[in-house]
Amino acid sequence: MRISVIGCGYLGAVHASAMAELGHDVIGIDIDIRKIEQLALGKPPFYEPGLPEILTSAMASGRLRFSTDIADAAGAQVHFIGVGTPQKAGSHAADLSYVDAAVQSILPHLAAGDLVVGKSTVPVGTAARLAEVIERSGTGATLAWNPEFLREGFAVKDTISPDRLVYGVAAGAAGEHATVLLNEVYAAAIAAATPLIVTDFATAELVKVAANAFLATKISFINAMSEIADVSGADVTQLADAIGFDNRIGRRFLNAGVGFGGGCLPKDIRAFTARAEELGRGDSVAFLKEVDTINMRQRQRVVAMTLQALDKPVYTAKVAVLGLSFKPHSDDVRDSPALDVAVQLRGLGADVMATDPQGIENSRLRHPQLTYSTSVEETLRGADAVVLVTEWAEFKQIDPVWAATLVRVPIIIDGRNTLDAAAWRAAGWTYQGLGRP
Ligand code: UGA
């Protein structure tokens, strides 16, 4: 099938490559010429494990091309919209200008029977509005909403073998036509018996924000428990293990630490709250404000723990920060708790040196005032305290005996509760986790 993918960021670039890998004929479109030039050379403009391999093989097969010209989308039957919906400046609502612009730009190139498929995370009600825009265009094309659940770091696997498919479609013949086309797009996943839910626009839009709101709530719940553990002497890691054995609860997303970040969870819960307020039901999701507050408090908590642990004023201290990306296996530093902690400590006058296997370049663009090093050894040397804020394997594997020979004072704040506390203490470190004795 001929497919266009409009927007080639984390979502679109992976989607375009994966669809070509599955045998479709794909054109990826983006207005950012630099991004397209890089992709056309087979080089993803961001770090995503497995993407370079499928990008290169799909391009070599001739099934994947990239362009900055939206006219090149003409002839495709299915047009995916994968542009960003960031938080609006000065508001909690989502900025839909990129989605609106993408839909407007594709209208002149649509043919009767074409399907425009929204993948971006949008406030409920957006799809119905855009369906009308497409209908009024008189092109004979229709709209479907097909939310994306990929996780950065596992995006290729999540796209090729999703754990579920959700189609939001119009009622009647248009919806049936959309379902047939999407079933063809996802033939491989459907043959693999991937659960499929065909529903209306509003449900499809809500499924996505509800999933992210639930995950965010789970993380803030365990972080709240870690705060209680801190004042009661309990161990939140064991608590998570124990409640996680209950299948109804589950152990995943119960890791307490510096909290959630990235380009999705934080802005999605805020946009959800803003949309619910617009719909007159702000009270229904008012708890998400608390989820957000608990989450942001973890960053302050790690900074405060560091200040307290130091044996000298912060403005005379060298602090080694291990981690910048919002989670391992990603170079994404959007709303990263790790980068936030580094910036806050620098703002308090600390001499911060930060390292990360993938996140340095993006961090430097945003915060040139920090000192970065690609070497863990250099980062640790002479440090008055070490703060671990992204649980990369590279950091988990650090030998505490070796690390103790490098620092000035062996103090470690484990902002991800990921290290073996006993081993670090045995090597002479003052170890502090969150909600761990
Ligand atoms: C998230 C969702 O997990 C995806 O399903 C969704 O498709 C995506 O957003 C999106 O909306 O596009 P992602 O942002 O890649 O995916 O990251 P997650 O793996 O969800 O992690 C989010 C944050 O939560 C990270 O900062 C991570 O460190 C933190 N986290 C995760 C915790 O603090 N504790 C945990 O137990 C788990």
Side-chain angles (χ1 to χ4, degrees), residues 121 148-154 158 164 208 211-212 215 219 222-223 251-265 267-268 295 326-328 335 337 391 416:
T121 304
E148 180 56 58
F149 305 107
L150 67 78
R151 299 158 297 166
E152 286 179 26
F154 303 92
D158 287 351
R164 78 280 210 194
K208 174 58 194 261
N212 278 0
L215 293 172
I219 299 168
I222 202 67
N223 279 329
R251 179 63 178 82
R252 295 176 74 190
F253 272 67
L254 280 185
N255 294 322
V258 69
F260 59 81
C264 303
L265 261 47
K267 65 112 176 144
D268 286 353
N295 188 53
F326 83 107
K327 66 172 186 179
D335 207 345
E391 69 278 32
R416 290 289 182 179

Side-chain angles (χ1 to χ4, degrees), residues 47-277:
Y47 173 76
E48 182 61 47
L51 181 57
E53 290 80 359
I54 62 162
L55 179 61
T56 321
S57 78
M59 289 189 56
S61 73
R63 288 194 304 270
L64 178 61
R65 291 173 303 127
F66 291 96
S67 171
T68 51
D69 185 358
I70 188 77
D72 288 335
Q77 261 181 297
V78 174
H79 306 270
F80 284 102
I81 308 277
V83 295
T85 51
Q87 190 176 327
K88 249 188 210 165
S91 146
H92 276 179
D95 177 357
L96 293 177
S97 58
Y98 301 102
V99 171
D100 287 332
V103 170
Q104 284 301 329
S105 72
I106 190 67
L107 287 182
H109 310 290
L110 293 176
D114 282 6
L115 184 67
V116 178
V117 183
K119 275 207 146 315
S120 310
T121 304
V122 291
V124 59
T126 307
R129 176 173 64 77
L130 294 174
E132 256 185 63
V133 170
I134 292 170
E135 198 181 331
R136 276 202 309 271
S137 72
T139 53
T142 52
L143 181 86
W145 215 264
N146 167 223
E148 180 56 58
F149 305 107
L150 67 78
R151 299 158 297 166
E152 286 179 26
F154 303 92
V156 172
K157 182 195 154 286
D158 287 351
T159 306
I160 291 181
S161 326
D163 56 8
R164 78 280 210 194
L165 288 164
V166 176
Y167 308 164
V169 299
E176 280 161 28
H177 173 67
T179 304
V180 168
L181 285 183
L182 285 170
N183 281 345
E184 202 178 323
V185 169
Y186 296 121
I190 287 175
T194 305
L196 165 64
I197 290 181
V198 182
T199 183
D200 53 80
F201 290 144
T203 307
E205 292 166 314
L206 271 180
V207 164
K208 174 58 194 261
V209 282
N212 278 0
F214 194 87
L215 293 172
T217 304
K218 221 176 159 186
I219 299 168
S220 278
F221 176 84
I222 202 67
N223 279 329
M225 293 306 107
S226 81
E227 291 175 329
I228 303 295
D230 258 352
V231 292
S232 60
D235 183 335
V236 75
T237 314
Q238 288 186 329
L239 181 146
D241 290 343
I243 63 171
F245 280 121
D246 183 333
N247 281 338
R248 295 169 304 172
I249 297 173
R251 179 63 178 82
R252 295 176 74 190
F253 272 67
L254 280 185
N255 294 322
V258 69
F260 59 81
C264 303
L265 261 47
K267 65 112 176 144
D268 286 353
I269 58 168
R270 291 173 198 150
F272 193 9
T273 312
R275 183 63 182 142
E277 281 166 2

Side-chain angles (χ1 to χ4, degrees), residues 383-432:
D384 297 302
V386 181
V387 186
L388 188 157
V389 263
T390 314
E391 69 278 32
W392 284 96
E394 285 87 338
F395 302 150
K396 290 197 224 177
Q397 285 156 10
I398 292 174
D399 174 2
V401 176
W402 169 77
T405 64
L406 297 170
V407 296
R408 191 186 70 83
V409 190
I411 294 171
I412 183 143
I413 312 293
D414 181 1
R416 290 289 182 179
N417 285 351
T418 196
L419 300 174
D420 178 348
W424 281 74
R425 285 184 178 132
W429 288 80
T430 302
Y431 170 93
Q432 282 183 50

